[in-house]
Amino acid sequence: MTQWALHEEGAAARAPRPARIPLRPGQKRKRRRGTLEGWSFAGPATLVVLGLSIFPAGWALLLSFQKWDGFSEAKFVGTRNYQQLATDPDLAAAIGHTIIYTIIFVPLSILTGVFLAVALNRKIRFIGLYRTAIFVPFVASAAATGILSTYLFNPQFGLVNNLLRVLGIPQQGWLENQHQAMVVIAIMSLWGQAAFTTVIYLAALQDVPSDLLEAARIDGANRWQAFWQVTWPQLAPVTVFATIWQTVEAIQLFDLVYTTTRGGPLDATKTIVYFLWEKAFTGLQFGYGSAVAYVLFAFTLLITVGVVLYARRAKIEAF
Amino acid sequence: MTTIERPATTRTTDEPVVRRARQGQPARRRWRRPSGWHLFLAPVALIFLLPFIQMFMASVSPAKELISFPPPFIPSHIDFGQIATATSPASGFIGLFSSSNIVLWLGNTTVVAIAAIGSHLVLCSLAGYGFARLKFRGRTFGFFAIVATIMIPTQLLMIPTYIMFSRIGLIDTLGAAIVPWLASAFGIFLMRQFFLSLPAELEEAAMLDGCGRWGVFFRVVLPLAKPALATLAIFTLLGSWNDLVWPLIAINNDHAFTLQLGIANFQGTRRTEWSLLMAGNVVATTPLILFFLVAQRQFIATMTFSGLKG
C-alpha cells in the first residue's frame, strides 16, 4: 500500500520547485536554515506519529521476548512466548473464529458495496434519500451498534425474531446461539460498514467509460452481461483494494464482539484481538500479549502482500 | 433485469422525452414512469434505517413495553422514563440523566473530539505542507517512516502505549484519550497530497512580494485548504468520538469515561434495562447523525479519500 505513496514521492521530488532559491556550494548556513525551517513545519506531527507508533512497536518487540505482568521484574524468556502461542489451543480457536468471521464478512461487504453502488448510481427521484439512509449507519459507533444488535436480535423481545414469528419461521437464539452469533456480528458490521465499500465503488463507477458500455450494448449485450463483461473488470482495482482493506479490518475485529457477546457464547466469538486484549489487560501477560500482537501483524502483512501479488499476476493495476 | 425496456440512467431516458418535447408535446415531459429500481432501493433504505428507528422508538417507550411479548414497534405513548424507585429501576431519559454521569461523559467526549480535531488540523497541515513543498534534510526518510506506520495495527501498540502512559500518569485521565489523537499518519498524508495538488505559482508570487514561508502558509495556502481540512476534521471527529478499545484500556475511572465507554459499560451493568440503554444510545449517536445530515457531502468525501489513500 505504501508503494503508491513512494511513487508519488519520486514524482514530487522531480517536480520543479522554483520558489526555493537554489543552493550554491558553500552556502551551508542557508541549508541549515532550510533544514530548521522544514522541521519546524514537519517536526511536531512527525514526533507525535513516530513517538506513538515506531517507538511502541519496537518496545512491543522487546516485550514479546519477556515475561512481565507490569509490576514485578520483567524476565527475558527468549522465544518461549512464541513457542507457547504456537501450541495454545485457545489461540488456535480464536484464529478459527476470526477466519470464520472474515469469510462471512469480506465477500458480503464487497457484494453489498457493488450492488448498492450500482443501484445508487442513477438519477432517479428520492435517490438522495436512499443514499442518506444507506450511508448514515456509518456514523454509528461500535458501542451503539452493539446495544442495537443485542436488542434487535434478542431471542425474546427482538424485532428480528418477532418478524420470523409473523412469517411462521421458528425463532432463533442469534447472539445466544454459538453457531449464529458470528453471523449476527457480521450482519451488524455490514450495516455500519456498507457505506464505505459503496462509496468507493460509486466513485469508481463514475470512471467507467460510458462508450465502452455503449459499444457492448450495440454488440448485443444485455444489461446483465454488460455489467459483468465490461463494468466489473473495470472495477477490479477497487475490488482488490477493498478486499485487502476489509480483510485487514475483519481480522482485527474486537469492538463489536466486546459490545455484544464479550466472546461468548461458549467462546464462539472470541477473536484474535479479543484473545489478545484478554491476555494483556485482564490476565496482565504483557509479554505473551505482545507476541500475539506480532503474529497478528505478520498475518496482516502476509495477506496484504498475498493479495497484491495475486493482483499483479492477474494484471490488475491496483497500486 | 433484461425485461426492462427503458434503461434507467437519465442520460438515455431523457432522449425520447426531449424529442417529444421538440415535437410540441411539452406536457408529456412531466410524467416519467418511475424507475424499477425503487422496488429495490426503498426496502433496502428502510432496512438500513430500521435499527435507528427502533432505537429512537425504544428510547421513548414505557420500560414495560420493551420487555413484553410481542413488543410493540411503536410505543403506546411517549414516556421519558422515571428515576429509580424502591419497586422499579430507573428508565428512559429521566432515569438516564438522574442515575448516570452521562452529561459528564458527553462533556468528556466533546473535549476529546475538540482537542483531537484542533491538534490534528494544526499539526497535520503544517507537516503536510512541509513534506509537500519544503526541501530539507531527512524529508524523504521522515515521510517514508510516517507512511510506513499506517501498516502497523493499533493492537500492536496498545500494550507499550499503556505502559508508557501509566509511567507518565496519563492513565485514568482524559489526556489518555486525547494524546493518541494529536496527529496521525493518515492526516499528514492527506494534507500532503492536497498541497501537492495546489499550483506552486501562487506561493512563488507571494514570496516574490516578500512574504516568508510562514506568511505564505497562513495567508495563501491555508485559506485554499478548506476542503482538505474539512475532510481531516471529519475523519478525526469520527475516530475520536467513536473510539472504544483504547479508552476501554486506558480509562477505568467513571469520571474520565468517554461517552462510548460509558454506554458500553452501561450495557454490561444494566443488561435488561432497555429503555435506559436506548436513551443512552440516542445521546451517544444523535450528535453524529445530525452532523452527518448537515455535512453529508464532506462525510462522503472523507470516506472516499480514506478509501483511496491506500
Side-chain angles (χ1 to χ4, degrees):
Chain A
M1 267 188 262
T2 51
Q3 193 132 16
W4 179 61
L6 288 176
H7 196 71
E8 284 284 302
E9 171 67 28
R14 280 194 303 278
R17 219 181 314 274
R20 203 179 62 86
I21 304 147
L23 283 180
R24 274 185 310 255
Q27 277 188 309
K28 261 200 169 166
R29 194 191 292 172
K30 192 151 246 172
R31 175 184 283 227
R32 206 174 301 143
R33 246 188 66 195
T35 302
L36 203 67
E37 189 183 57
W39 282 114
S40 66
F41 274 91
T46 308
L47 207 67
V48 171
V49 169
L50 297 187
L52 289 171
S53 59
I54 301 273
F55 173 64
W59 194 351
L61 187 63
L62 190 71
L63 278 172
S64 73
F65 296 107
Q66 292 178 334
K67 188 180 164 74
W68 194 35
D69 61 5
F71 303 102
S72 54
E73 196 87 356
K75 210 169 71 190
F76 186 78
V77 294
T79 57
R80 214 163 70 201
N81 286 327
Y82 290 96
Q83 287 165 9
Q84 190 189 335
L85 69 81
T87 54
D88 189 334
D90 293 344
L91 178 61
I95 292 174
H97 302 145
T98 309
I99 291 174
I100 291 172
Y101 172 78
T102 309
I103 289 173
I104 302 172
F105 176 74
V106 176
L108 266 182
S109 82
I110 301 286
L111 284 178
T112 313
V114 174
F115 279 113
L116 288 180
V118 169
L120 289 173
N121 188 31
R122 59 201 70 247
K123 289 178 180 137
I124 55 174
R125 210 182 257 252
F126 307 127
I127 195 75
L129 274 181
Y130 295 145
R131 281 185 196 209
T132 306
I134 290 168
F135 292 165
V136 74
F138 189 71
V139 303
S141 68
T145 310
I147 293 174
L148 285 175
S149 327
T150 32
Y151 190 68
L152 287 171
F153 287 93
N154 185 295
Q156 286 99 50
F157 326 111
L159 190 68
V160 179
N161 263 355
N162 206 16
L163 207 68
L164 294 188
R165 189 181 56 88
V166 173
L167 297 174
I169 300 167
Q171 307 188 10
Q172 307 294 323
W174 301 123
L175 287 167
E176 291 170 22
N177 177 320
Q178 69 175 113
H179 301 295
Q180 293 166 352
M182 216 39 140
V183 180
V184 174
I185 292 176
I187 289 173
M188 290 309 284
S189 298
L190 202 62
W191 174 69
Q193 290 295 311
F196 174 69
T197 39
T198 307
V199 161
I200 60 174
Y201 272 117
L202 256 178
L205 278 176
Q206 318 276 323
D207 296 338
V208 175
S210 55
D211 45 339
L212 267 186
L213 279 175
E214 263 163 50
R217 298 296 297 279
I218 290 166
D219 287 349
N222 61 37
R223 292 157 59 79
W224 185 253
Q225 287 167 328
F227 176 78
W228 289 111
Q229 305 293 328
V230 179
T231 311
W232 179 244
Q234 291 276 326
L235 297 175
V238 176
T239 306
V240 171
F241 167 76
T243 307
I244 294 178
W245 189 269
Q246 298 294 76
T247 307
V248 170
E249 293 275 299
I251 60 181
Q252 295 179 0
L253 175 73
F254 170 84
D255 289 19
L256 209 50
V257 171
Y258 182 81
T259 56
T260 51
T261 57
R262 304 238 166 145
L266 298 170
D267 287 350
T269 56
K270 197 171 273 184
T271 59
I272 302 175
V273 177
Y274 199 90
F275 173 84
L276 158 68
W277 172 80
E278 241 181 17
K279 285 286 174 212
F281 294 101
T282 61
L284 293 179
Q285 300 183 32
F286 288 152
Y288 190 56
S290 298
V292 175
Y294 258 98
V295 170
L296 182 73
F297 184 24
F299 248 142
T300 317
L301 278 182
L302 219 70
I303 288 169
T304 310
V305 171
V307 178
V308 169
L309 284 183
Y310 170 79
R312 282 267 165 80
R313 272 182 56 186
K315 302 254 184 321
I316 299 167
E317 292 268 325
F319 298 98
Chain B
M1 275 211 234
T2 49
T3 54
I4 298 171
E5 61 273 66
R6 290 187 359 144
T9 47
T10 347
R11 218 178 300 131
T12 37
T13 35
D14 268 349
E15 271 175 283
V17 180
V18 172
R19 217 173 295 138
R20 250 182 250 127
R22 281 206 199 102
Q23 287 162 4
Q25 291 170 293
R28 284 242 185 153
R29 195 177 181 164
R30 297 203 133 214
W31 192 85
R32 263 193 223 161
R33 205 181 61 151
S35 161
W37 285 97
H38 287 291
L39 293 177
F40 171 70
L41 282 168
V44 168
L46 191 68
I47 290 171
F48 271 85
L49 283 182
L50 205 59
F52 280 145
I53 298 172
Q54 167 97 79
M55 173 178 86
F56 286 110
M57 293 286 188
S59 72
V60 292
S61 288
K64 282 207 178 74
E65 281 180 21
L66 294 179
I67 50 168
S68 61
F69 192 85
F73 185 72
I74 297 164
S76 62
H77 63 278
I78 290 182
D79 187 334
F80 288 109
Q82 56 169 35
I83 58 172
T85 61
T87 49
S88 62
S91 67
F93 284 99
I94 294 174
L96 175 73
F97 287 112
S98 64
S99 72
S100 77
N101 283 326
I102 190 129
V103 178
L104 182 67
W105 302 337
L106 183 63
N108 285 343
T109 291
T110 311
V111 168
V112 172
I114 289 174
I117 293 171
S119 165
H120 241 83
L121 292 186
V122 174
L123 295 184
C124 294
S125 58
L126 279 174
Y129 185 73
F131 284 124
R133 281 284 195 268
L134 305 177
K135 212 157 192 196
F136 51 94
R137 199 181 290 202
R139 181 185 81 147
T140 312
F141 178 76
F143 186 70
F144 172 75
I146 286 170
V147 172
T149 65
I150 293 178
M151 291 298 292
I152 303 176
T154 44
Q155 292 80 21
L156 189 66
L157 310 174
M158 293 187 315
I159 297 169
T161 310
Y162 175 81
I163 300 167
M164 220 157 75
F165 280 18
S166 68
R167 294 251 167 103
I168 53 176
L170 271 179
I171 293 300
D172 280 352
T173 70
L174 263 195
I178 294 172
V179 171
W181 285 100
L182 289 179
S184 65
F186 170 75
I188 297 171
F189 183 76
L190 183 150
M191 293 313 292
R192 177 180 171 275
Q193 293 304 99
F194 178 79
F195 290 132
L196 282 177
S197 73
L198 286 181
E201 286 79 19
L202 224 61
E203 295 156 54
E204 287 155 31
M207 287 187 88
L208 281 179
D209 289 346
C211 215
R213 266 297 168 198
W214 291 89
V216 168
F217 178 73
F218 283 109
R219 291 199 208 130
V220 180
V221 174
L222 220 47
L224 293 174
K226 275 179 200 146
L229 292 175
T231 302
L232 184 58
I234 286 172
F235 166 79
T236 318
L237 173 73
L238 273 175
S240 60
W241 188 281
N242 284 343
D243 194 12
L244 178 67
V245 59
W246 178 245
L248 176 71
I249 290 167
I251 299 173
N252 282 308
N253 169 5
D254 188 85
H255 290 279
F257 270 9
T258 60
L259 201 47
Q260 304 304 327
L261 191 51
I263 62 167
N265 194 49
F266 235 45
Q267 196 203 1
T269 51
R270 314 237 182 173
R271 233 163 214 291
T272 52
E273 295 166 39
W274 290 109
S275 74
L276 203 63
L277 285 171
M278 288 298 174
N281 234 359
V282 167
V283 173
T285 319
T286 312
L288 286 192
I289 294 180
L290 290 178
F291 207 59
F292 179 85
L293 296 181
V294 173
Q296 188 173 356
R297 191 175 296 217
Q298 280 77 18
F299 270 87
I300 290 173
T302 307
M303 280 190 257
T304 316
F305 193 87
S306 56
L308 295 179
K309 74 167 181 174

